Amino acid sequence: MFVRSRSAMVSAVGVLLAIGVWAWAAEEAEPAETIVTSESLMFDYGRSTCVFEGSVVVTDPRVKLECDKLYVFFDATNNVDSIVAMDSVHVVQEDRKGTCDKAVYTASTGAIVMTGNATLARGRDAIHGDEIKIFVNSEKVTCTPGRLVVFPSSLEKAKGGVTQ
């Protein structure tokens, strides 16, 4: 199934994923085109939900998201309430990557919660945990239990950093 639209629903998915998953993304003056592809798409007007299933790919100029299932839930005014990406979630923006089994964005809290083998990486540096929570509005991240892997930069080594 191929969806190509500037409609509020598809644009909201792309914009929220781009900004929510990677708080470092800069906003654009005019929303760019977002393309969502999947093997199937079901929109239930009565329940205010949209479900993309099978090889889901969200392509936005700022970010690319891949997963097996993507659920979008709308509130009473048809604004995005929450987005759930499930099964083999991969997000890439420039040199930043995130992977997990499930990622949930909640509009009211402005938070993304990544669970199940959650990892956020930039270059070779990465954090790993059972739950990584990204606070979109403050660019704060929590990780429980936390594990941080940081590699010295090439610049530090060039300045005479000690290696053992």
Side-chain angles (χ1 to χ4, degrees), residues 38-99:
S38 63
E39 293 174 11
S40 69
L41 162 65
M42 186 275 302
F43 192 83
D44 185 335
Y45 289 96
R47 294 185 181 186
S48 298
T49 60
C50 184
V51 181
F52 297 88
E53 289 188 284
S55 303
V56 180
V57 178
V58 178
T59 304
D60 183 273
R62 297 162 298 247
V63 70
K64 182 175 184 178
L65 173 125
E66 297 178 356
C67 61
D68 292 334
K69 296 176 187 167
L70 183 71
Y71 300 87
V72 183
F73 300 93
F74 301 93
D75 64 17
T77 59
N78 289 325
N79 290 315
V80 173
D81 182 58
S82 62
I83 299 171
V84 179
M86 294 184 60
D87 303 329
S88 301
V89 179
H90 297 273
V91 182
V92 177
Q93 183 204 33
E94 297 175 4
D95 66 339
R96 295 173 283 250
K97 298 178 184 176
T99 61

Side-chain angles (χ1 to χ4, degrees), residues 1-21:
M1 172 63 61
F2 180 78
V3 176
R4 185 181 194 121
S5 171
R6 286 181 175 258
S7 71
M9 184 270 302
V10 175
S11 293
V13 171
V15 171
L16 290 173
L17 291 172
I19 294 170
V21 176

